[in-house]
Amino acid sequence: MSSTTCPRPSEEGILQFLDVCDSFYPADAVNASIEQQRQWYDALCARFDRSLPERMVVEDSIIADVPVRSYRPATLRSSTLLLYFHGGGFVVGSRQSHHAICAEIADHAGAELVSVDYRLAPEHLWPAQADDCFAVLREVLRDGRRVVLIGDSAGGNLAAGVAVQAKNDGLNGIVGQVLIYPSLGGDLISGSYEEMADAPGLTTSDVAYYRQLLGAPEDNPIAMPLATESFAGLPPAFISVAHFDPLRDDGRIYAGRLAAAGVEVWFREEPQMVHAWLRARHMSEGARIGFRAVCDAVSYFAGAL
């Protein structure tokens, strides 16, 4: 599909958000060097950063040899740990790129959040990213804590994949998974991958580029959770997708398969949103509502509602 025929949102706030994004991160960014992509992305994330909630304690540390950043709100209402995996196509992003997002989720839920700074491709091919995230999860579960997995985009893939791996290994303690416009291994040639092939913010060719760079096997359910044979026994899930996003149907199909297997699942499709709308939560009404739904889901799983 050409960019002239691909549907686009009409909400003024999200259109302004896209204009800001384009000024920092070019639509053809994947054609640049990895170093340049990361510089552009870091600048974009800094543009949308915000002051942290009052009296929040932030600390960088190491868990299971993986760098992490923890967020402890002034008032704790839950002992459940929130484990966050950031987006960025497995190529860009860090614990800094999602700094304010993580802080606001932790503050809303009244629970400690740990953001995982997993290794990036192409320097580190799959399964380095999944290994890092699972190592952190396994370590925190050893303390007997309940855990909510949260991830956006590539991080949503990691959260879902880690949940599959935990089930396969018989690990208990994951009480919920919150997947935000996740990449879960769709076929790239049908559904939203065709309808939204040239959507603003993320194209189907971008998704193909990130997959190729990552080098993950397409039939591995940890790498591509839609390839899971049995969805029974996976943690309850909240899945939020953007209508104008080639990844939209990954989340929709995954939610359907979880529900068919008897897993408790909530599914939201944000009608005016594009990929990466989390960053628009303070300038778009649709993003604000969607972010509140994400935070409420995290709070529900954490037992804070």
Side-chain angles (χ1 to χ4, degrees):
M1 296 179 67
S2 70
S3 59
T4 57
T5 59
C6 187
R8 291 178 59 87
S10 59
E11 191 211 271
E12 182 177 352
I14 208 67
L15 292 175
Q16 293 174 352
F17 166 73
L18 288 170
D19 286 342
V20 174
C21 290
D22 287 344
S23 70
F24 281 87
Y25 199 79
D28 61 349
V30 296
N31 295 323
S33 68
I34 298 298
E35 181 182 6
Q36 180 64 79
Q37 290 181 49
R38 290 173 179 164
Q39 290 175 359
W40 281 334
Y41 189 75
D42 289 347
L44 171 67
C45 296
R47 162 61 177 80
F48 288 107
D49 208 6
R50 296 178 68 87
S51 299
L52 299 188
E54 186 177 355
R55 294 189 295 127
M56 172 162 280
V57 177
V58 178
E59 181 181 7
D60 290 344
S61 61
I62 303 291
I63 297 178
D65 295 325
V66 180
V68 301
R69 177 171 293 172
S70 64
Y71 300 81
R72 290 187 293 276
T75 302
L76 284 172
R77 299 189 303 278
S78 171
S79 60
T80 301
L81 182 70
L82 315 178
L83 202 55
Y84 196 97
F85 308 131
H86 69 79
F90 308 100
V91 174
V92 300
S94 64
R95 55 187 170 185
Q96 182 59 37
S97 65
H98 288 59
H99 185 54
I101 291 169
C102 288
E104 290 173 30
I105 292 174
D107 188 63
H108 183 96
E112 180 182 4
L113 184 148
V114 171
S115 177
V116 180
D117 205 2
Y118 56 84
R119 289 171 288 175
L120 299 177
E123 296 91 340
H124 304 281
L125 300 181
W126 194 90
Q129 301 74 21
D131 286 349
D132 286 353
C133 294
F134 189 70
V136 174
L137 171 67
R138 187 172 50 214
E139 186 66 25
V140 298
L141 286 177
R142 281 179 182 159
D143 296 334
R145 300 189 73 171
R146 293 157 34 107
V147 174
V148 177
L149 303 174
I150 313 168
D152 69 286
S153 194
N157 169 285
L158 291 167
V162 161
V164 171
Q165 187 173 359
K167 186 190 87 163
N168 293 344
D169 289 1
L171 292 182
N172 298 313
I174 301 174
V175 295
Q177 51 180 326
V178 176
L179 313 179
I180 309 158
Y181 37 80
S183 172
L184 300 172
D187 61 19
L188 298 185
I189 58 174
S190 64
S192 57
Y193 283 109
E194 179 182 17
E195 180 189 355
M196 298 295 172
D198 291 300
L202 183 73
T203 67
T204 296
S205 62
D206 291 339
V207 178
Y209 164 83
Y210 292 130
R211 284 194 192 180
Q212 182 179 20
L213 217 55
L214 182 65
E218 294 187 0
D219 60 349
N220 187 299
I222 297 170
M224 308 289 180
L226 281 171
T228 302
E229 290 186 7
S230 173
F231 293 82
L234 286 170
F238 173 90
I239 301 173
S240 177
V241 301
H243 179 75
F244 297 95
D245 184 353
L247 296 179
R248 181 191 67 209
D249 288 356
D250 276 21
R252 179 186 287 173
I253 294 168
Y254 200 66
R257 291 181 182 175
L258 288 171
V263 177
E264 189 175 27
V265 59
W266 290 265
F267 175 78
R268 280 181 64 97
E269 181 176 319
E270 303 300 341
Q272 282 293 310
M273 293 299 100
V274 297
H275 194 77
W277 60 257
L278 278 181
R279 300 194 188 284
R281 66 197 182 282
H282 294 294
M283 62 186 302
S284 156
E285 179 64 10
R288 184 191 67 78
I289 294 171
F291 185 64
R292 177 59 185 253
V294 165
C295 290
D296 284 347
V298 172
S299 299
Y300 172 79
F301 288 139
L305 280 182

